[in-house]
Amino acid sequence: MAYTYDDQNIFAKILRGEIPNDTVLETEHSLAFRDITPQAPHHVLVIPKGPYVTYDHFAAEASDAEIVDYTRAVGQICQILGLEEDGFRLISNAGRAGVQEVPHLHVHILAGRPLGRMLDKA
Ligand code: 5GP
């Protein structure tokens, strides 16, 4: 499958510094910042700096260094936010079925309140 990356998406603009963000962590290959419309007391988005649309795109085409950096960045955010004890939820929406709004890979880290069951039945 060929993945097409749109470099005008909002997270590409954040990475280029064209739009401000509330950064929690920046590493060589990843950036983590607070969601503009938080759905929990902690709602952080973690994105790779490279042009990847979805998690499967990233897994297929990113370098080992990018994948290690990204995975560790997610773990570091959990430590920074102190989520070990109470826990958290990781979500990565992809494509139409996943209802992905922004076509640049991101995981949502949600925490700070009971988050309910994973999915509505609808
Ligand atoms: P998706 O539905 O693609 O998984 O989630 C996209 C997320 O990006 C949403 O939770 C939305 O609130 C967030 N978002 C959209 N635009 C911006 C922005 O300009 N800045 C930040 N920090 N978050 C944004």
Side-chain angles (χ1 to χ4, degrees):
M1 150 136 196
Y3 299 93
T4 306
Y5 182 78
D6 169 14
D7 70 2
Q8 292 308 305
N9 78 75
I10 202 103
F11 294 168
K13 291 180 182 177
I14 284 176
L15 283 168
R16 290 194 295 266
E18 295 166 13
I19 293 176
N21 74 91
D22 184 0
T23 298
V24 182
L25 177 72
E26 180 166 11
T27 64
E28 186 180 359
H29 296 294
S30 309
L31 181 68
F33 52 90
R34 295 190 187 280
D35 197 291
I36 204 164
T37 313
Q39 294 185 41
H42 294 299
H43 188 170
V44 173
L45 302 171
V46 190
I47 67 174
K49 291 182 178 176
Y52 304 105
V53 184
T54 54
Y55 202 96
D56 52 309
H57 183 198
F58 183 67
E61 295 187 8
S63 67
D64 290 1
E66 290 175 297
I67 290 171
V68 168
D69 180 296
Y70 188 65
T71 304
R72 291 237 152 97
V74 170
Q76 273 180 270
I77 296 298
C78 294
Q79 283 185 342
I80 290 167
L81 299 179
L83 305 183
E84 259 175 48
E85 194 168 324
D86 280 348
F88 58 92
R89 181 169 292 157
L90 269 191
I91 298 173
S92 189
N93 297 317
R96 213 173 31 241
V99 196
Q100 181 180 11
E101 259 178 58
V102 181
H104 182 114
L105 168 62
H106 48 285
V107 294
H108 298 253
I109 301 177
L110 294 148
R113 66 168 170 83
L115 294 163
R117 298 200 49 95
M118 191 166 64
L119 291 176
D120 285 339
K121 290 206 168 98

